[in-house]
Amino acid sequence: MSSTPIPTPTVDPASGSTKAVVTGRSRKDPQNRDKSKPHVLVTILMGVIAVAWLIPLVGLLVTSFRSRADVDATGWWTALLNPFAQDWTFENFASAWDAIDAGTTFWNSVAVTVPATVLPILVAAMAAYAFSFLQFRGKEIYFGIVLGLMIVPVQLAIIPILQLFVWIGNNTGVQIIGEYPAAYIVHSTFALPLAIYILRNYMQTLPVSLIEAARVDGASHFQIFWRLIVPMSVPALASFAIFQFLWVWNDFLVAYIFIQSGPNAVMTQGLYTLMGQFGQGWQRVAAGSFITLVVPLVIFFALQRFFVRGLTAGSVK
Amino acid sequence: MAILSAIISVIIGLGISLVIFWALNWLVERTSDRWKSRLLPYVFLAPVIVLIAIFLLYPAIRTFIDSFLQQSQRRGEGPTFVGLDNYIDLFTDPGFLGILLNNVLWVIVVPTGAVIAGLLVAILTDRLGKRRETTFKAMIFLPMAISGVAAAVTWRFIYFYAPPGNPQIYSLNAIWTAVTGQDPVPWLTIDAARLNSFLIMFIVIWLQTGFAMVLLSAAIKGVPEETLEAARLDGCSERRTFFHVIVPQIRGTILAVFITILIVVMKLFDIVYAMTGGQYNTSVLAVEFYTQLFSFQNPGKAAAVVMVLMVAITPIIIYQVRSYKAQEELR
């Protein structure tokens, strides 16, 4: 990590957990290399912190398996203290599934998230190629603009984009608001600056001689981009893709404004609606939360290393 | 079958953009060499320029203009220019000044809290074996993967209020009534000393600590062993080593993490909105924007709120660009 506030993307495994191997070093007592002893206290302390960190989610998880009568009568912790006096049930998940309309909202989330991930990557990779390997006037200025736009909040654009979509709807009859593209175009555009930044930084580490050699062999820039640069940039592309996917999947604001409730509502919208119905019991809201959390948690556990890496690279967002 | 048509439209969209790109490239490759090198960069940049111009730059300028307009109440009538009225309205409204105060508290408390908690976890896990380190880190990091709405659900179930006499099923009030023996408290409605805002801030610290931990942990591991050895040989205490040897060397990362979380906090909408809807004096700029736009149907004022947010963010933008330039010059 450099000493400047924009962390340079470290798209090598060294940024994450792999270095930990070296750091079995005991700083507490350099003479005593016996690791187990001084670590007991730290382990206990850290264990307590880590468990406490997850207690809010544990409470929700426990609640999602309890019956309504139990949830209304006692706190979730009594279910753990006295697990056999409880009615455990999967009923809540079925009922929450219907309330969220997960069979539909899940696919709606996919329909928004996948294009919102693929589109900016494709477009940003091309721009990053230009910034890395082509010469043109004002390159530095353009890149400075990209840097500045990275931080601009999406709220800045919401009103005019809404007006634009309404205008298009009135003049062409094509209603965009409420459809998937309304959300994924906004997501894509606001992801572009960060994507360009990350990919450009990565591409600059690729050897220029390779591109020059390909040019000599008569390859066009188009071919070089697709055959050479894109395959070589896969680590950076993947890191950004995972990060962007989760970010869009978990987004509420853009979906709430541009898709709203209705036939194309996404999962976070469904959960938000369900949350307002806690009068019908927390067990349902809790189960609903975990239904929406399946995809992020699977990605988290399956791709944790990449996720961490993407986060390290994308830390300006 | 909505999903099918969605996927098809995506494939068509991507296909069309590829065809356009390929055609442009084909044309450029066939022009004379002098023009080729001039045009080619713009071919590669064209999609970005189009998207950013239509959906980012134009809206930004438009929002700026909108902030000086007032929408007519009658349908079909255009907006009128009202000068600085929207801004004057905002800054003479005690409610809005309270929102600004909230925002100031948010951008101080949350990044600071997350950095301190992240540092603590990074230091503690650094002393453990690899297996334990990875496990504990994953546990701290896990909330990072969940959505703002899910986080709000999780913490509503902790902060909510059941009147006295009812079973105390919400954790915070269960602890409160058990420990103090007093009546349960409607925490989220108590704005004295901004208590409810601080409770919501805690949620975001909970979410962001994992992020701070990952970056800070990587930075701490990058601190050269020799400097630590030297400090030990000089007889530095553990604490002195940390504050005088480790912290100065990871200052850049600390700052980067702080700023990143600060930006997240400035844009934060979903958690505050899902927790209280901005009621009970918990609102922040991003929520106020939404309220003005949709609840009050006042786009001019909403635009003015965004411009205030932009003014607050501008110094960070300048700082980012400048520090990037400094970094480039070092290369």
Side-chain angles (χ1 to χ4, degrees):
Chain A
M1 191 59 48
S2 62
S3 60
T4 43
I6 298 178
T8 317
T10 39
V11 191
D12 60 68
S15 63
S17 47
T18 36
K19 263 195 179 170
V21 195
V22 203
T23 39
R25 62 195 183 201
S26 163
R27 277 179 192 152
K28 187 149 199 168
D29 188 354
Q31 268 81 47
N32 183 6
R33 284 278 159 190
D34 170 29
K35 268 179 226 152
S36 61
K37 210 181 157 198
H39 287 189
V40 172
L41 255 175
V42 179
T43 305
I44 293 171
L45 182 61
M46 197 50 232
V48 170
I49 295 175
V51 169
W53 216 253
L54 291 185
I55 278 183
L57 288 172
V58 172
L60 206 64
L61 186 63
V62 170
T63 304
S64 68
F65 290 108
R66 300 177 77 202
S67 71
R68 166 135 199 220
D70 284 346
V71 170
D72 286 346
T74 52
W76 61 268
W77 49 91
T78 49
L80 286 187
L81 299 174
N82 204 351
F84 298 108
Q86 292 286 315
D87 292 332
W88 297 101
T89 172
F90 285 100
E91 187 65 28
N92 306 324
F93 284 89
S95 130
W97 181 276
D98 292 339
I100 295 182
D101 195 9
T104 308
T105 53
F106 174 84
W107 290 112
N108 289 341
S109 280
V110 171
V112 169
T113 310
V114 171
T117 308
V118 177
L119 201 73
I121 286 184
L122 188 76
V123 171
M126 296 193 320
Y129 181 84
F131 277 120
S132 306
F133 303 114
L134 302 175
Q135 297 305 322
F136 55 96
R137 270 176 71 185
K139 190 158 123 174
E140 285 304 309
I141 296 168
Y142 287 128
F143 198 67
I145 295 174
V146 168
L147 277 173
L149 292 179
M150 228 159 25
I151 306 169
V152 168
V154 69
Q155 282 90 348
L156 186 65
I158 285 176
I159 304 173
I161 294 180
L162 273 175
Q163 289 167 342
L164 181 71
F165 287 162
V166 169
W167 182 83
I168 292 174
N170 289 342
N171 285 284
T172 66
V174 182
Q175 294 301 334
I176 303 177
I177 296 170
E179 302 294 330
Y180 310 127
Y184 72 64
I185 286 178
V186 174
H187 275 304
S188 300
T189 307
F190 277 79
L192 281 178
L194 182 73
I196 295 172
Y197 174 73
I198 289 175
L199 297 177
R200 182 258 193 190
N201 275 8
Y202 184 80
M203 286 181 189
Q204 288 213 320
T205 64
L206 302 175
V208 185
S209 53
L210 214 65
I211 284 100
E212 276 161 7
R215 288 297 290 170
V216 171
D217 288 348
S220 73
H221 275 290
F222 183 76
Q223 287 166 326
I224 296 175
F225 174 70
W226 277 113
R227 302 268 167 80
L228 217 60
I229 300 300
V230 169
M232 282 167 81
S233 305
V234 163
L237 298 173
S239 293
F240 180 78
I242 294 163
F243 188 53
Q244 171 74 359
F245 186 94
L246 272 174
W247 195 68
V248 175
W249 189 275
N250 285 337
D251 159 76
F252 177 63
L253 177 65
V254 172
Y256 192 48
I257 289 180
F258 287 98
I259 295 190
Q260 304 160 357
S261 51
N264 294 329
V266 297
M267 283 198 112
T268 45
Q269 168 81 50
L271 180 60
Y272 179 75
T273 311
L274 178 64
M275 186 178 77
Q277 303 166 357
F278 64 89
Q280 296 176 43
W282 275 95
Q283 77 290 345
R284 217 158 132 256
V285 185
S289 300
F290 278 95
I291 292 174
T292 70
L293 287 184
V294 168
V295 169
L297 289 184
V298 164
I299 290 183
F300 173 77
F301 282 115
L303 305 168
Q304 198 186 341
R305 270 184 52 197
F306 298 94
F307 184 43
V308 167
R309 214 188 283 169
L311 209 67
T312 318
S315 55
V316 249
K317 187 149 197 171
Chain B
M1 282 303 98
I3 174 65
L4 215 66
S5 62
I7 289 174
I8 290 169
S9 74
V10 169
I11 292 171
I12 291 173
L14 291 182
I16 288 175
S17 53
L18 280 183
V19 168
I20 293 172
F21 171 64
W22 184 83
L24 275 170
N25 186 74
W26 185 84
L27 270 175
V28 170
E29 290 288 325
R30 256 137 208 86
T31 50
S32 71
D33 275 357
R34 229 184 96 221
W35 280 99
K36 194 193 286 179
S37 58
R38 275 195 193 171
L39 280 180
L40 198 70
Y42 297 100
V43 173
F44 275 82
L45 288 173
V48 167
I49 293 173
V50 170
L51 274 176
I52 287 191
I54 298 178
F55 295 106
L56 218 164
L57 291 181
Y58 158 74
I61 296 163
R62 194 56 207 267
T63 301
F64 177 70
I65 296 169
D66 277 359
S67 71
F68 301 105
L69 303 177
Q70 185 165 26
Q71 205 67 37
S72 168
Q73 295 303 315
R74 271 178 247 139
R75 275 195 169 274
E77 264 183 40
T80 45
F81 180 79
V82 292
L84 289 172
D85 279 8
N86 289 324
Y87 293 93
I88 294 168
D89 276 3
L90 286 179
F91 283 98
T92 50
D93 173 10
F96 186 73
L97 298 178
I99 288 167
L100 284 182
L101 172 69
N102 277 345
N103 256 73
V104 171
L105 289 174
W106 271 88
V107 299
I108 296 171
V109 172
V110 174
T112 310
V115 164
I116 291 174
L119 259 182
L120 182 73
V121 174
I123 295 161
L124 287 177
T125 52
D126 194 32
R127 299 170 173 214
L128 301 173
K130 179 162 166 53
R131 279 266 292 289
R132 285 179 199 164
E133 175 177 359
T134 319
T135 313
F136 287 145
K137 276 184 170 176
M139 289 167 81
I140 302 290
F141 192 59
L142 190 135
M144 197 77 212
I146 75 178
S147 67
V149 181
V153 169
T154 310
W155 286 86
R156 273 179 157 220
F157 192 54
I158 292 171
Y159 289 155
F160 255 38
Y161 166 75
N166 293 19
Q168 292 303 317
I169 62 166
Y170 304 112
S171 314
L172 186 58
N173 267 324
I175 296 169
W176 171 259
T177 49
V179 172
T180 65
Q182 290 179 3
D183 278 350
V185 176
W187 298 106
L188 286 174
T189 64
I190 295 185
D191 59 358
R194 299 283 186 222
L195 176 67
N196 48 8
S197 284
F198 281 110
L199 288 172
I200 303 173
M201 287 177 210
F202 188 79
I203 304 172
V204 182
I205 295 176
W206 177 71
L207 290 171
Q208 294 291 333
T209 294
F211 164 73
M213 171 200 75
V214 167
L215 288 187
L216 293 171
S217 174
I220 289 175
K221 287 183 197 310
V223 170
E225 188 71 16
E226 303 86 65
T227 59
L228 301 173
E229 289 292 342
R232 277 190 211 109
L233 287 176
D234 290 348
C236 275
S237 71
E238 192 77 356
R239 199 196 295 151
R240 269 185 73 91
T241 312
F242 175 71
F243 282 108
H244 295 281
V245 180
I246 298 179
V247 167
Q249 295 192 65
I250 62 169
R251 213 177 49 208
T253 309
I254 292 178
L255 203 62
V257 170
F258 190 95
I259 288 179
T260 308
I261 298 176
L262 189 147
I263 296 165
V264 169
V265 167
M266 281 210 165
K267 305 176 187 175
L268 189 83
F269 167 78
D270 45 10
I271 290 174
V272 179
Y273 186 73
M275 288 304 282
T276 62
Q279 286 175 290
Y280 318 116
N281 286 326
T282 55
S283 192
V284 288
L285 284 173
V287 175
E288 178 65 9
F289 162 77
Y290 184 88
T291 314
Q292 289 291 350
L293 183 57
F294 290 101
S295 309
F296 299 148
Q297 297 283 325
N298 196 341
K301 229 165 150 184
V305 173
V306 176
M307 292 321 293
V308 173
L309 181 63
M310 269 316 289
V311 169
I313 284 179
T314 304
I316 310 170
I317 295 180
I318 294 170
Y319 178 76
Q320 290 275 34
V321 174
R322 282 175 61 176
S323 60
Y324 170 78
K325 285 213 175 113
Q327 188 186 345
E328 282 293 276
E329 275 157 20
L330 281 179
R331 276 189 186 171

